[in-house]
Amino acid sequence: MSVTSDAAERARALRRELSRHDHLYHVLDQPEISDEAYDALLAELKGIEERHPELVTPDSPTQRVGGGPVAGFTTAVHAQPMLSLDSSAKEGDLRAFDTRLRRAASAAGIDVSYSLEPKIDGLSVELVYVGGVLGRAVTRGDGVTGEVITPGVRTIRSVPLRLLEGSGYPDELSVRGEIYLPIDAFDDVNEDLINQGKQPFANPRNAAAGTVRQLDPKLTASRPLRIFCYDVLAGPTGLQSQSELLEALARWGFPVNPLNATAQDVEGILDYFGKMEEQRDELPYEIDGVVIKLQDVPARERIGYTAHHPRWAYALKFQPRKEVSQVLKIVASVGRTGVVTPIALLRPVNLGGVTVSRANLHNVDDLTRKDIREGDHVRVERAGDVIPQVVERVETGDERGEPFRMPTNCPSCGTQLTRSGPYTVCPNALECPAQLIGRITHFGSRTGLDIEGLGERTARQLVERGLVTRLPQLFDLTVDQVAELEGFAAISARKLVDGIQAAREPQLARLLYGLGIPEVGSAVARTLARSFVTFEAVRSASVEDLMAIEGIGEVMARQIHGFLNEPHMVESLDELTAPGRMAPKPDETGRVASENSALAGKTFVFTGALEVMSREEASELVRGLGGRSSGSVSAKTDFLVAGDGGGSKLTKAQDLGVTVLDEQGFIDMLKEAGVEPPAKTA
Ligand code: IVH
């Protein structure tokens, strides 16, 4: 055999092996090998392809981020029209659909039973495979013709570039699925956009659509889009039921939602709908209802279609988290970084169970673009547990107020405001009370040092009474001082002081987040903590050291370095870490234990109230040890850790035979992996 055919053979084998691992990791959430072992295989394949460019194939895992930006989108006609669904949020409408369908079905001798699927709030896409290889991805467009977005879709790790070997996939296959951006990623993307002075996305669906239509696939790749597939537009003809169809998709290698279910009648549908509504806030992605489809696939043609939607499917929607309210007042609020943000004070509205009375208007440009004034009626929207946004103004025909004008001086300290790009900024970083209040609140926030009782109201009083003029002084507060504040008594004051003292030895990632370093959200804070292990190492890192870390580019590295080395910050950090104040714990978990801990590669779900730690802390420890934590129980769950009041997740885990631990059992596992759980606070 010649050298080239050896190389070709090895490249083929590597590609097959890598697609299998992509599927295990990104679709099944059950990796068999470490990230390092995967990277080694990928590096070997890259090496071969560099030496033999003629061997590069479009389905090679090296091509996930292949070419450069494209000039524009071409269009393509779908294998079958991509229809939309008839929908409503009313039970009565669902009952009417069921009655209509049963009438038509019984006339045609068709049995009615239903497939149920969460309705993912994403964007529909058609994936076309020829010979098992992804050839084309097309947006829904007008339903008949869509835009070709193959380069962007290739970057989505859970989209198979080639279907699973030996799974019996048809030679020509066109699949429909929903691309979505998980809520965590949505928050990160919006935080970045706001930091760059750009307008954030109103909801995860818009973010997914905006991301997948990027002309530069590198940008698409930087945002972790995912997909769930649920329909076959062209391919095999033998599929008898929707359940069979979904099983076939999973077998060929597509991600299929593990929450899909079936029902016999409207009662079964409503039961499932109720369960999904309960889980809605805990799911890592946004759903806006439940899709109900006639199980019998061959019978669908006989039931038929209207011009827009099938008569055999229906979407029952949740109450929207979008509502119209009125802007009572617009105020300028000074944040911890000095940026002055217009905030709309709203007539309180209920958005999917949460009462909302304020919304962020981001910056003057955004406000001007949307032209929002006091007295206006506006559409307000909330996604996941994200801060509500004013999406748009609703025209009422009433006379309108004057446009909002930013103040020229800081409403908190009176310093003349400056302008930086789209931002209005208070330059008095050292003394402005509002900025200090923001820094204290951020420091004590749940993702930060998680100090209970140190919310904005407390921070404001501490600053206004002159008890805290610099962050480090928090650690010198006494019970007597706190007891004087409004809303505090002896016991609650003791609790707050104890809480602050307990934060003396924080996990490094929490401290890094809590300091409010620009660009450092919780994900970057964790990366920094794992890479540098100690606070001293982070503080002394050069721009180059920071850039050497995956996910940290030059802009971010410069921002972080600049913040940590600004002379006042150096002084403040020295003061913060002086003896008797803070001593952050080195984050050794990621390095030392992750490879061989019993938690590595395992998926955990936490439910009920834990005593020793919060569920978030528990998830963080699991991640630190190379495991995963998920919001819902499925067949992929390895352990359910159940605190008091476990409820439906506990029942489901027991049904699925998932190992159930109590908190102590989980702590024992942590100890065995060499990690001391956080000390219990009184
Ligand atoms: S079925 C003929 N199933 O909801 C079949 N749609 O409001 C039509 N969607 O355009 C679609 N999850 O973008 C279907 N499991 C699911 C879905 C789903 C989300 C979206 C899809 C569709 C829209 C209709």
Side-chain angles (χ1 to χ4, degrees), residues 20-35 226 600-603 628 634-639 658:
R20 196 169 74 81
H21 290 302
D22 275 343
H23 180 254
L24 284 166
Y25 188 100
H26 296 287
V27 178
L28 301 183
D29 225 359
Q30 281 172 342
E32 274 179 10
I33 58 173
S34 68
D35 293 358
R226 304 186 65 106
K602 297 283 190 265
T603 302
R628 254 175 258 274
S634 74
K636 294 173 208 160
T637 311
D638 294 294
F639 296 98
V658 170

Side-chain angles (χ1 to χ4, degrees), residues 340-354:
V340 185
T341 313
I343 302 277
L345 305 184
L346 304 166
R347 184 167 44 71
V349 274
N350 186 310
L351 294 190
V354 176

Side-chain angles (χ1 to χ4, degrees), residues 198-485:
K198 296 187 184 146
Q199 189 178 353
F201 291 109
N203 53 47
R205 178 170 40 80
N206 289 0
T211 299
V212 93
R213 290 189 74 266
Q214 285 291 332
L215 293 172
D216 184 355
K218 291 214 168 50
L219 201 145
T220 312
S222 73
R223 298 180 186 166
L225 293 169
R226 304 186 65 106
I227 192 168
F228 278 128
C229 294
Y230 52 76
D231 199 9
V232 172
L233 294 171
T237 46
L239 297 166
Q240 293 303 311
S241 69
Q242 178 71 11
S243 297
E244 213 175 276
L245 181 154
L246 294 169
E247 276 163 28
L249 287 174
R251 193 166 59 244
W252 297 328
F254 295 99
V256 172
N257 197 325
L259 298 174
N260 293 341
T262 59
Q264 294 306 314
D265 51 26
V266 171
E267 303 318 313
I269 296 171
L270 292 175
D271 185 46
Y272 178 77
F273 182 78
K275 285 192 185 133
M276 289 303 115
E277 202 165 32
E278 244 173 54
Q279 288 192 24
R280 185 183 186 189
D281 279 329
E282 288 181 44
L283 290 177
Y285 46 85
E286 184 74 0
I287 59 175
D288 59 349
V290 162
V291 182
I292 299 128
K293 298 173 185 169
L294 177 68
Q295 273 281 25
D296 192 334
V297 171
R300 290 175 180 175
E301 289 311 307
R302 285 186 282 151
I303 301 286
Y305 304 83
T306 70
H308 309 284
H309 54 253
R311 296 184 199 275
W312 43 262
Y314 202 77
L316 185 59
K317 298 233 212 167
F318 297 137
Q319 287 305 326
R321 287 168 160 162
K322 219 187 283 183
E323 214 52 79
V324 173
S325 177
Q326 193 180 12
V327 178
L328 302 176
K329 199 171 167 50
I330 300 176
V331 296
S333 159
V334 187
R336 67 183 154 84
T337 58
V339 173
V340 185
T341 313
I343 302 277
L345 305 184
L346 304 166
R347 184 167 44 71
V349 274
N350 186 310
L351 294 190
V354 176
T355 303
V356 167
S357 57
R358 301 159 66 91
N360 198 328
L361 295 166
H362 304 299
N363 55 51
V364 176
D365 291 355
D366 197 25
L367 187 69
T368 314
R369 196 165 29 226
K370 291 180 181 159
D371 187 21
I372 289 168
R373 308 180 191 177
E374 288 181 357
D376 281 351
H377 284 77
V378 290
R379 205 177 304 287
V380 189
E381 185 166 346
R382 181 176 76 89
D385 43 17
V386 179
I387 304 165
Q389 312 232 11
V390 171
V391 181
E392 61 186 357
R393 186 163 76 79
V394 180
E395 190 54 77
T396 56
D398 294 349
E399 205 174 305
R400 303 186 58 206
E402 290 296 309
F404 173 74
R405 276 179 201 281
M406 266 300 195
T408 51
N409 291 72
C410 175
S412 177
C413 67
T415 307
Q416 188 161 20
L417 299 176
T418 57
R419 184 82 195 224
S420 155
Y423 294 126
T424 310
V425 183
C426 167
N428 183 15
L430 284 182
E431 283 154 5
C432 174
Q435 295 187 45
L436 181 58
I437 293 167
R439 284 199 294 273
I440 296 173
T441 313
H442 187 76
F443 191 71
S445 66
R446 277 197 77 95
T447 319
L449 299 180
D450 197 14
I451 302 173
E452 214 183 305
L454 191 60
E456 199 197 312
R457 209 173 98 117
T458 311
R460 179 175 303 282
Q461 295 190 66
L462 291 174
V463 172
E464 282 173 357
R465 296 180 186 219
L467 291 172
V468 176
T469 56
R470 292 186 317 280
L471 206 55
Q473 291 173 344
L474 272 179
F475 290 95
D476 306 333
L477 285 174
T478 65
V479 176
D480 289 346
Q481 285 173 324
V482 177
E484 291 286 301
L485 306 182

